[in-house]
Amino acid sequence: MSDKTDSAIGAADDIPHHQQVEQYGGDRLQARHGRVNTWLCIVYLIMFVWALYYAITYWGGLGPGLDLGLQFTAK
């Protein structure tokens, strides 16, 4: 069940789809049709690539001081 008002449906015939606004909850909430901006997609892509780099470079191993590699001490 939705709380969509009929005021947005009646006026939607003469307004293009990308400019239509749907109102919910007694006109307290508005949902607009649109798309994700190109700059925001680029930011998402950069952050994803950085997360992969960080995961490969810094994540892994047993932690500081727990490395199982050979450690030589000078005598």
Side-chain angles (χ1 to χ4, degrees), residues 1-53:
M1 277 195 186
S2 70
D3 194 16
K4 187 191 289 189
T5 61
D6 292 334
S7 62
I9 297 173
D13 296 335
D14 54 351
I15 299 175
H17 180 72
H18 67 279
Q19 293 179 351
Q20 293 178 5
V21 176
E22 298 174 359
Q23 301 193 5
Y24 300 91
D27 296 338
R28 290 180 292 171
L29 299 173
Q30 293 181 346
R32 301 177 192 273
H33 298 275
R35 57 184 162 85
V36 177
N37 292 331
T38 305
W39 66 268
L40 187 57
C41 290
I42 292 171
V43 170
Y44 285 156
L45 179 65
I46 290 171
M47 291 186 72
F48 180 73
V49 169
W50 175 80
L52 288 177
Y53 166 77

